[in-house]
């Protein structure tokens, strides 16, 4: 099974700046599904269901 | 405009290499796919590295998500620590840390930590370690493993590929010495279907092993996590939460869920 589409393969030809801009756009769009994401994607708590989820804290000025 | 997880990696490592980019963001770094909304790092197992990461996260206004404290007393038992904040654009940033990634030889991580930094590059988990970390219970990780394997030299790709056609292509040239059952099936003249079955059995064995390993952590952390949520420790400022979490973990979180073995990490697969 091929993981990558023709568009994905173009990642290797991108400059670092192009890759950053592409990821930034992808990340913006991906925020739409936050509510449906599992609570953990890595680590030892991955099998846990959503009972322990807490809302994210707002950013502090840095 | 920058990948914020790449920027965090630079921040963590600004005073020396302590945090290796891993998992989904490493897949982005290796330019395979836009894969992950979270950031994962393998951290050097020292109090100083933990302190550095907490400082950086505190500057970003991060809070703990339910998980182990970022403290070597628990990280050395394979536990993971989890954090979250919103960036300046209100986007959710999740940061996860381990010091003992599953299925990875710690000596290989030390090699990664010891590599001198190169201009324009990030400290990142090496390909074979990244593949081993992705041998999880999740079916979606296995096609990624196949693509990561393509970046390896052919004799190493043969040991990790999940693509039966690629395995059949490489086996006649590079199979000498391989103990991998799917490779041995190919070299003994097995049909393609037999190689497919051998790879499926391998993936199933790895998935089952990961489930068993994680179940031990689930069982060991139940009471601790309940208290984490009841006390709303994720709502506290980071360093205050960290102190409270360490006190809670001293009472309720066993440092090593596998007391019968010294090294809690599951066997290299």
């Amino acid at each position: 099974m091929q993981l990558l589409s023709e568009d994905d393969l173009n990642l290797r030809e991108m400059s670092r700046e192009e890759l950053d801009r592409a990821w930034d756009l992808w990340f913006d769009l991906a925020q739409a599904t936050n509510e449906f994401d599992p609570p953990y994607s890595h680590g030892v708590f991955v099998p846990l269901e959503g009972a322990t989820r807490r809302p994210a804290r707002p950013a502090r000025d840095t | 405009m920058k990948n914020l997880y790449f920027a965090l990696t630079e921040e963590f490592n600004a005073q020396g290499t302590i945090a290796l980019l891993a998992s989904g963001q490493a897949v982005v770094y290796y330019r395979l796919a836009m894969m992950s909304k979270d950031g994962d790092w393998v951290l050097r197992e020292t109090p100083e590295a933990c302190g550095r990461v907490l400082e950086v996260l505190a500057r970003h206004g991060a809070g703990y998500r339910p998980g182990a404290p970022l403290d070597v007393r628990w990280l050395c038992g394979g536990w993971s620590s989890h954090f979250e904040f919103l960036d300046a654009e209100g986007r959710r940033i999740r940061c996860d840390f381990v010091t003992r990634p599953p299925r990875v030889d710690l000596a290989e991580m030390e090699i990664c930590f010891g590599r001198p930094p190169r201009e324009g590059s990030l400290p990142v988990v090496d390909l074979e370690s990244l593949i081993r970390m992705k041998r999880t219970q999740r079916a979606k990780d296995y096609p990624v493993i196949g693509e990561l394997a393509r970046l390896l030299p052919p004799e190493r790709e043969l040991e990790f590929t999940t693509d039966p056609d690629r395995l059949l292509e490489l086996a006649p040239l590079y199979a000498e010495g391989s103990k991998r059952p799917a490779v041995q099936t190919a070299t003994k003249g097995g049909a393609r279907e037999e190689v497919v079955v051998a790879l499926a059995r391998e993936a199933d064995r790895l998935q089952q092993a990961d489930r068993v390993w994680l179940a031990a952590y689930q069982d060991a952390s139940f009471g601790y996590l309940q208290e984490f949520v009841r006390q709303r420790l994720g709502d506290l400022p980071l360093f205050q939460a960290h102190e409270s979490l360490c006190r809670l973990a001293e009472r309720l979180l066993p440092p090593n869920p596998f007391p019968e073995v010294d090294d809690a990490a599951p066997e290299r697969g």
Side-chain angles (χ1 to χ4, degrees), chain B residues 5-31:
Chain B
Y5 294 111
F6 287 8
L8 280 170
T9 305
E10 289 173 343
E11 277 191 78
F12 294 143
N13 292 298
Q15 297 169 4
T17 302
I18 61 161
L20 304 174
L21 190 63
S23 300
Q25 294 302 326
V27 174
V28 177
Y29 183 79
Y30 285 122
R31 293 166 178 254

Side-chain angles (χ1 to χ4, degrees), chain B residues 95-111:
Chain B
C95 302
D96 301 338
F97 300 89
V98 296
T99 61
R100 303 275 176 122
R103 297 170 292 278
V104 173
D105 192 322
L106 289 184
E108 289 167 1
M109 291 294 93
E110 279 302 314
I111 292 171

Side-chain angles (χ1 to χ4, degrees), chain A residues 42-44, chain B residues 18-23 40-45 74-81 96-110 112-113 124-126 128-136 210 213-214 217 263-269:
Chain A
H42 295 94
V44 299
Chain B
I18 61 161
L20 304 174
L21 190 63
S23 300
D40 304 274
W41 292 267
V42 176
L43 195 60
R44 202 186 266 278
E45 198 172 277
W74 290 277
L75 294 173
C76 72
W79 291 103
S80 53
S81 298
D96 301 338
F97 300 89
V98 296
T99 61
R100 303 275 176 122
R103 297 170 292 278
V104 173
D105 192 322
L106 289 184
E108 289 167 1
M109 291 294 93
E110 279 302 314
C112 292
F113 281 122
V124 63
V125 169
D126 65 283
E128 290 198 20
S129 298
L130 181 59
I131 288 170
R132 293 186 195 283
M133 290 172 68
K134 285 205 160 286
R135 285 174 156 176
T136 72
D210 193 54
W213 179 66
L214 289 177
Y217 286 92
D263 184 349
E267 212 174 303
R268 283 180 59 160

